[in-house]
Amino acid sequence: MEGHRLQRLAAGLFAAASLMATGVARAEEPIVIGAAIAQSGIIAPYDDGPAKAMEIAAEEINAKGGLLGRPLKIIYSDTKSDIAYGATAAQDVIDKGANMVVVTCDYDYGSAAASVADGAGLIAFSTCAGDPKFGPSGIGPNAFTMATGAPGQAVAITEWAYDKMGWRSGYLLLDTTIAFDASFADFFTRRWVELAGPEGLAGKDTFGGEDPQIASQITRIKALPKQPDFIVLASFPPGGASALRQLRAAGINQPILASESWDGDYWLDAVPNLSDFYFVTYGSVFGNDTRPAVVDFMSKFEKKFGQRPVTSHALTGYSVIQGWAKAVEQAGTLEAGKVREKLEVFVDEPLLAGPTTFTKDSHINMQRDLILLEVKGGKTGNVVGIVKAKQMPK
Amino acid sequence: MIVLQNLIDAVSLGAVYALAALGIGLIFSVMRLINFAHGELIMVGGFTLYTLAGQPLLVMILAALLTSTVLALGMERVAFRTLRKASPATLLISSFAVSYLIQHIVLLAFGSRAMGVAFLPELGTAIDLGGLRIPLLQLVTIAVTLVLMAGLVAFFRLSETGLQMRAAAEDFTMARLVGVKANRVIAFAFAISGVLASIVSFYLVAQTGSVSYKMGVSMVLIAFVSSVIGGMGSIAGAALGGFLVGIVSVSLQAYLPVDLRPYRDAFVFLLFVLFLFWRPDGLLASRADRDRV
């Protein structure tokens, strides 16, 4: 504990020193964005798209004359997908003069780095950590995430199922591996019971993402007196894809609803000829998004990096730079306290990842536009429409 | 009816656990090594299928069998042969090292994102037997497990190498004194464990449709628990333990109240802890081990 405080003090002193240094810097000296993200190891594929998108955003700002008249420069330090190493990586970019810190797309893997940056008096932005704790309650006043939280995703697709599809009976299958899905399932249940009543919930069951099979869960669904209109699968590939494969193989052909975890097409081979699978996410990577800005971004991305991003989480990386730069522009300074004040008054700020709102207490978005995509005949990326959580459950 | 369905579900899962446990149990019986890298033999089999996806089925299967077997022989030669006189603890640590090494090589080569593989999707369909739903894959798995177990029994009973292996499992030093070639017997055991591992990988890939660098980890843990339940060192015990763990796990999933179901594995392991109080040596403890105690 004592060591931690000392470390924070040292970090704070260093930040103060570097602030003074920037004060006397020449105008064209670059503004440094320190990305303390995973460039190797298990989380690396999830940070890759958003990081590349940050490069695009920075290039665009530089082409228009930079931020406060200074060019943006992104430097990296690899967290090696090690939770404990995140703090070291953040300290590393701060030591190299970072004016703000971007951290990993996950609460568990990104919060250590964000705490260090927050303690050093810098804005810490996660690209797509979807846990509501990411912000003042879990990390500190300077921590923000560009994600649309799991509750917002769950409520958006639940309301769509009730209002647009007219479904009245739902079944919940929850993978107990990660907190994101627990939160998704919880908010689905609460909103669904508000809409369809307790009798609308046909049942719920759990499985472990690493279980080799979900035969008894399937047996339980099959044994229901009345088959539900749809099933919510709160899970993620590969464990969830395996469950999905077994559900379909067993002849459970109801529509299945899911979260952003199912973005991309890398998992599709696991479920041959899948249909009637719906999920919400940030945007379509397939060039058919209904919003021109997203289509435009995807083609820019493909032109620069030779292929489109694997998932649309890339949009959040772009928006971290976009949103932070807007707040800096408005504040007229890089000072974290002033930038934070500007961020906290964002109301439906039109960013690429969606209209963005932050308040003093909430540094994550919930009721925000999401795209609803359908997997049909083994092909993903069929656009159903844009949805948004209307009413968060009490 | 639903009881019968649950029983089928349980037996089919038990069959896979039994195959995995056999691989662990076999190596333990001949050289007192708990080979945690066994999971990586499974994983490498899976990645061979992924790499060769789209090739003729026979090519995929033979290649996966070959890769897992060669890797099993390779790890025996490189990591375990030189440590044969070391304590079981050293061997165990060494197997962890081999396991991490292989996982991270695959992580470097393929990345961490799990990838979908279209392998035997035909086996996904279920046949309906008077209201009972029996997925073909489960039937095939149970059949393959029974055939393999019969084959192993025949091999141990009838072939000379099998006999030597049994002798080595009983008392390794004594077996060597009467002319059993240690290198040959142990290499043979590893080769068999490689074959068993790749068959588990066929099941896993056909069932889940994906491969990831961690796909062998939970399987090897279950296999380890199964072989402890069955009695370390006893090959029949390992198979029996596998079936038992599968059946207990599915039964708890089927009959625990919904609020307790997320903690299913805690109940599974609690039951096994209690079981070990009752029978510390497992169901069928090997004679050799009992003598040592």
Side-chain angles (χ1 to χ4, degrees):
Chain A
M1 207 60 219
E2 197 58 37
H4 189 64
R5 206 176 295 156
L6 270 177
Q7 199 182 351
R8 280 189 154 202
L9 182 66
L13 282 175
F14 190 88
S18 54
L19 269 181
M20 276 188 276
T22 50
V24 294
R26 290 179 316 172
E28 64 271 25
E29 190 169 308
I31 293 175
V32 179
I33 292 163
I37 59 172
Q39 293 177 298
S40 59
I42 59 167
I43 301 296
Y46 305 93
D47 276 347
D48 180 64
K52 285 176 170 160
M54 281 161 51
E55 296 281 353
I56 294 179
E59 260 174 32
E60 286 180 5
I61 288 171
N62 289 343
K64 287 181 189 150
L67 182 60
L68 306 178
R70 295 163 60 187
L72 293 179
K73 184 181 156 206
I74 304 176
I75 60 168
Y76 295 90
S77 184
D78 187 3
T79 67
K80 301 178 167 62
S81 299
D82 184 328
I83 290 179
Y85 204 79
T88 316
Q91 196 55 56
D92 185 35
V93 293
I94 293 170
D95 291 349
K96 287 178 183 149
N99 298 104
M100 71 91 85
V101 176
V102 180
V103 306
T104 288
C105 169
D106 180 77
Y107 181 82
D108 294 327
Y109 285 90
S111 53
S115 291
V116 169
D118 179 77
L122 295 178
I123 296 285
F125 237 119
S126 169
T127 48
C128 37
D131 190 314
K133 286 198 299 294
F134 205 104
S137 68
I139 296 167
N142 297 322
F144 289 81
T145 171
M146 201 38 85
T148 305
Q153 297 185 21
V155 170
I157 200 164
T158 305
E159 290 173 343
W160 171 82
Y162 187 87
D163 295 338
K164 284 273 178 343
M165 304 310 279
W167 294 329
R168 291 299 177 260
S169 148
Y171 190 89
L172 170 67
L173 195 51
L174 165 65
D175 175 348
T176 52
T177 316
I178 58 172
F180 180 92
D181 288 314
S183 168
F184 186 85
D186 179 38
F187 276 81
F188 156 70
T189 311
R190 285 159 63 184
R191 186 71 184 121
W192 185 250
V193 168
E194 281 181 1
L195 290 168
E199 65 284 355
L201 194 62
K204 63 174 180 175
D205 205 351
T206 58
F207 68 105
E210 291 187 344
D211 291 354
Q213 49 125 312
I214 58 159
S216 40
Q217 289 85 343
I218 288 172
T219 300
R220 186 172 280 116
I221 296 176
K222 286 276 195 181
L224 287 174
K226 184 175 163 288
Q227 288 298 299
D229 294 334
F230 68 95
I231 294 168
V232 169
L233 181 59
S235 181
F236 57 100
S242 159
L244 188 54
R245 176 185 175 99
Q246 295 169 63
L247 287 170
R248 287 300 189 237
I252 297 174
N253 289 321
Q254 280 96 336
I256 290 176
L257 311 185
S259 71
E260 58 160 312
S261 310
W262 299 81
D263 200 345
D265 58 6
Y266 61 95
W267 57 271
L268 270 181
D269 274 343
V271 199
N273 211 21
L274 177 65
S275 279
D276 265 326
F277 182 82
Y278 301 88
F279 63 96
V280 283
T281 189
Y282 296 97
S284 166
V285 293
F286 301 99
N288 60 345
D289 202 287
T290 50
R291 298 157 296 183
V294 176
V295 177
D296 193 38
F297 168 80
M298 293 301 168
S299 71
K300 261 186 242 159
F301 193 103
E302 187 163 6
K303 212 162 131 202
K304 185 168 164 64
F305 297 106
Q307 54 191 13
R308 51 184 167 71
V310 178
T311 70
S312 66
H313 295 87
L315 295 170
T316 61
Y318 183 97
S319 289
V320 163
I321 304 300
Q322 189 188 17
W324 177 75
K326 269 188 186 175
V328 169
E329 200 78 59
Q330 288 166 8
T333 169
L334 291 167
E335 202 190 311
K338 301 242 165 64
V339 176
R340 185 180 73 222
E341 279 171 21
K342 293 295 171 192
L343 282 168
E344 284 172 344
V345 295
F346 270 17
V347 177
D348 284 335
E349 188 69 32
L351 302 182
L352 190 63
T356 301
T357 304
F358 293 121
T359 66
K360 201 165 176 351
D361 304 316
S362 168
H363 290 184
I364 182 171
N365 278 266
M366 289 297 164
Q367 290 164 281
R368 189 200 223 177
D369 290 354
L370 289 160
I371 198 163
L372 185 74
L373 297 176
E374 179 186 5
V375 182
K376 199 160 53 178
K379 290 261 173 294
T380 186
N382 303 288
V383 178
V384 178
I386 302 288
V387 293
K388 178 178 163 180
K390 292 186 205 100
Q391 175 72 53
M392 299 304 284
K394 283 164 198 85
Chain B
M1 202 46 123
I2 193 163
V3 176
L4 210 53
Q5 179 75 57
N6 281 328
L7 190 67
I8 292 172
D9 297 344
V11 171
S12 68
L13 183 63
V16 181
Y17 286 172
L19 279 186
L22 270 175
I24 296 272
L26 192 63
I27 300 300
F28 184 84
S29 72
V30 295
M31 73 179 290
R32 296 294 176 268
L33 156 69
I34 300 162
N35 186 14
F36 270 92
H38 189 73
E40 276 44 74
L41 299 176
I42 298 174
M43 183 262 286
V44 165
F47 272 88
T48 311
L49 296 177
Y50 169 75
T51 315
L52 294 177
Q55 301 292 322
L57 188 61
L58 196 65
V59 173
M60 291 170 77
I61 288 180
L62 287 179
L65 281 168
L66 191 71
T67 322
S68 296
T69 310
V70 168
L71 184 65
L73 289 171
M75 66 172 68
E76 190 273 325
R77 183 69 192 84
V78 176
F80 301 131
R81 188 172 293 186
T82 43
L83 293 175
R84 207 172 284 159
K85 295 215 175 71
S87 73
T90 311
L91 282 167
L92 179 69
I93 302 295
S94 172
S95 85
F96 273 119
V98 172
S99 165
Y100 279 124
L101 176 69
I102 298 173
Q103 274 184 36
H104 282 84
I105 290 173
V106 172
L107 183 61
L108 268 179
F110 293 92
S112 63
R113 222 189 268 272
M115 286 157 304
V117 189
F119 175 67
L120 290 174
E122 310 80 42
L123 291 185
T125 48
I127 49 174
D128 205 313
L129 265 185
L132 279 185
R133 173 188 46 80
I134 311 177
L136 273 178
L137 179 63
Q138 300 191 354
L139 272 187
V140 172
T141 308
I142 296 173
V144 168
T145 305
L146 292 179
V147 168
L148 276 175
M149 279 165 58
L152 275 178
V153 168
F155 168 76
F156 285 128
R157 289 276 143 91
L158 305 176
S159 77
E160 196 176 326
T161 316
L163 187 71
Q164 291 179 356
M165 223 178 260
R166 269 165 59 211
E170 289 279 321
D171 189 333
F172 201 81
T173 322
M174 189 63 199
R176 289 190 77 171
L177 285 176
V178 297
V180 169
K181 288 197 179 69
N183 284 352
R184 187 159 169 276
V185 164
I186 290 178
F188 223 94
F190 269 91
I192 296 175
S193 86
V195 170
L196 291 171
S198 60
I199 290 170
V200 172
S201 81
F202 299 156
Y203 165 82
L204 275 183
V205 176
Q207 178 76 288
T208 64
S210 342
V211 292
S212 87
Y213 77 104
K214 293 195 93 159
M215 64 188 279
V217 174
S218 60
M219 195 48 107
V220 85
L221 272 179
I222 296 281
F224 170 62
V225 171
S226 304
S227 48
V228 171
I229 298 298
M232 281 314 276
S234 158
I235 294 163
L240 195 62
F243 271 108
L244 197 68
V245 174
I247 289 167
V248 167
S249 166
V250 169
S251 309
L252 284 173
Q253 180 67 43
Y255 296 111
L256 273 182
V258 64
D259 295 330
L260 291 180
R261 249 175 263 155
Y263 312 106
R264 181 200 63 207
D265 287 346
F267 285 95
V268 173
F269 290 114
L270 178 69
L271 279 179
F272 289 133
V273 169
L274 296 177
F275 171 85
L276 287 177
F277 281 135
W278 175 53
R279 289 196 78 135
D281 290 337
L283 283 171
L284 309 172
S286 84
R287 233 167 296 155
D289 270 359
R290 213 172 295 150
D291 289 345
R292 286 180 199 182
V293 178

